[in-house]
Amino acid sequence: MEAFLIKALQLILALALLVTIHEFGHYIFARMFGMRVDRFYLFFNPWFSLLKYYPDKGKLQLIAWTTRPKGPDGKPDENADEVPHALLSFNVRKHAAFKKNGKPSWAATLYGIGWLPLGGYCSIAGMIDETNNGKDLAKEPEPWEFRAKKPFPRLMVMLAGVIFNFVLAIIIYIGIAWYWGDRVIPYENATEGMDYIAQMHDIGLRDGDRILAVNGKAADATDSRQMWDMVQDGSVITVARKTAAGVIDTVSVNVPEGFLAKIADTKTPLMTYRVPVVVLKPVHGEPAEKAGMRAGDRIIAVAGKPTPSMTEFFPALTAAAGHTVPVTVERDGKEATMDVAVNSDGKIGVRLEVDPNNLFEVKEVDYSLWQAIPKGITDGTDRLVTYVSSLKLLFSKTGAQSVGGFGAIGDMFPEKWDWFKFWNLTAFLSVILAFMNILPIPALDGGHAMFTLWEIVTRRKPSEKVLEYAQMAGMAFLFLLLIYANLNDIYRFFLK
């Protein structure tokens, strides 16, 4: 129970930060362009709010809700003003809602905290979104409304949340590098060597080679300059290579002329650490658990084929898809073999330890603030590229089944409070939130931006009816996706 509460608290704290920063991006850009922001909310508030602050009325309310007066037919009158109620109410200093020049001030906004930690919202006057619809926009637009502004300011307001989330991720990664430094795996500690891209194979390197030296100088994983030297014309890369008989040979590879030009457009790292296949956690009810596999087991063979790293492991599973095969694991220094059923997708139901920093001995690297800035920018962009590349898996049957909701996200946090892991995960979630919101789906920021770009290109503004129906369709789609993702969590937790 304690572990669950710690995970839940970390999730709520991360969401609170990410949602606040995202919505603040919309808020500050709307204010910059002279738009009035009606409401700014952290978390959703169906039926009631935990807190409401009316600067223009001088009211601060705790556990607050509203009702509408009933009309002659005994039903709530939709045209009547809402009547505020609160369990506790305090009178505070009043502030003018409009400046002397007639522009709205910060005090024109109702600030609140909801009780449902699934998101938040920034309701901008004159904008069709989840808080407004066509009925709210029947009258002529005021100069401080969203719809009264030119396309470029509206586009920037829509993109601001995404921009702020990505910048937040960069800032967090900079802070992590500055405060904690970095954890680098020395090449000599990489027991399984490295995996290389095709161009590196072409010059004579093989997967599994462990770098010993570059141009006669001992290899140093902390020296970024050495990576540059490694790809220069005429460089000599010395590696340790394991032969088929298990003997370690020392091999020298000469970098040919023009090699740098061949890798100039490469977007992926030239080499990555080969990660041993170590079970982090067998999935409950899946074949691996049923066969007796445990956390900490290292899978060293599948159907008789050696799997020293994940590079060999996944093809071995794919080849065994639909069959029950012997799987050999190393446990407490001893080998054990068990028969495991591999499903038709080549899966056995295990979560693997994929972070080489948790598998090999690492070296701590300190960064000054100025060194941490480029490091943080690189980390943020790398996480974005990695995440976008992984999305193609969602369009497979297995990928769709792996989609998770808030339970899956919460389970990513450690069971014991760890600020380093918390900030790393929060930064990654900020990258995900930025990318997901820029997708051209109505009801998301990307959907609003798409319609605004259409207006800029065609010089024709979509009708408010089109925007309203698109908003409804987008909200329905996102709601169904949210239900599906969280039902997946429930299914995995209770039924598998």
Side-chain angles (χ1 to χ4, degrees), residues 117-135:
L118 301 182
Y121 60 91
C122 176
S123 178
I124 302 171
M127 176 182 172
I128 295 179
D129 59 10
E130 66 272 16
T131 62
N132 294 317
N133 55 45
K135 293 181 180 179

Side-chain angles (χ1 to χ4, degrees), residues 27 44 66 71 80 85 115 131 145 152 193 203 210 218 247 305 307 462:
Y27 172 87
F44 295 133
T66 59
H85 307 274
W115 60 270
T131 62
E145 288 189 354
F152 180 74
I203 66 173
R210 180 167 55 84
V247 178
K305 298 177 181 178
T307 56

Side-chain angles (χ1 to χ4, degrees), residues 192-240:
E192 302 305 325
M194 313 293 287
D195 280 333
Y196 302 89
I197 62 172
Q199 293 94 323
M200 300 291 272
H201 290 162
D202 292 341
I203 66 173
L205 289 168
R206 299 180 186 175
D207 290 340
D209 286 352
R210 180 167 55 84
I211 299 177
L212 299 177
V214 178
N215 295 329
K217 182 181 178 182
D220 184 359
T222 67
D223 185 356
S224 59
R225 178 60 185 269
Q226 194 173 64
M227 180 66 72
W228 174 254
D229 293 339
M230 191 183 299
V231 296
Q232 300 301 307
D233 293 354
S235 288
V236 178
I237 306 171
T238 306
V239 300

Side-chain angles (χ1 to χ4, degrees), residues 297-313:
D297 285 351
R298 177 177 176 179
I299 301 174
I300 59 175
V302 173
K305 298 177 181 178
T307 56
S309 76
M310 294 190 187
T311 306
E312 295 80 20
F313 175 67

Side-chain angles (χ1 to χ4, degrees), residues 422-457:
F422 170 82
W423 285 116
N424 257 301
L425 188 51
T426 300
F428 183 54
L429 291 176
S430 195
V431 170
I432 293 175
L433 185 61
F435 179 76
M436 295 302 292
N437 266 284
I438 202 60
L439 294 176
I441 299 173
L444 292 179
D445 297 340
H448 292 289
M450 175 182 65
F451 285 116
T452 306
L453 286 171
W454 171 265
E455 179 183 349
I456 292 173
V457 172

